[in-house]
Amino acid sequence: MAIIKPFKLEEVRDALTAIGVHGLTVTEVKGYGRQKGHTEIYRGAEYAVSFLPKIKIEVAIASNQVDKTIEAITSAAKTGQIGDGKIFVIALDHAVRIRTGEADAAAL
């Protein structure tokens, strides 16, 4: 799972496709980390934006692709500015392709 800046989505998708990751789920989310939001001025009034728009990408991959996938996401999503995002690696116990009934590695 990766949380990235919205404008980096296409670059990350292209990087993942280039290394053979063909499926992903994308969710529009809001959140904050160390940046803790910011203030904006709208029609002359200043207000705090506590939750910033982000994109959450989820991919299910074989364990031997983890390092390559992390590198692809990191290099494509990095701007060098605060708020570039995070990557979380979570173990996947079981996967099933609904259409065919294939399981685990065959379902990925």
Side-chain angles (χ1 to χ4, degrees), residues 5-64:
K5 291 183 175 185
F7 65 90
K8 286 295 197 169
L9 176 59
E10 290 302 317
E11 290 177 55
V12 170
R13 185 184 65 126
D14 292 343
L16 290 173
T17 301
I19 64 164
V21 176
H22 298 294
L24 69 145
T25 301
V26 175
T27 310
E28 293 181 8
V29 296
K30 291 184 178 187
Y32 70 91
R34 288 186 180 158
Q35 66 196 112
K36 296 189 177 58
H38 63 278
T39 58
E40 290 185 1
I41 297 176
Y42 179 71
R43 295 190 180 196
E46 187 175 12
Y47 65 100
V49 177
S50 299
F51 296 97
L52 301 172
K54 300 288 183 179
I55 295 290
K56 179 168 76 170
I57 298 172
E58 296 170 287
V59 294
I61 55 172
S63 57
N64 64 352

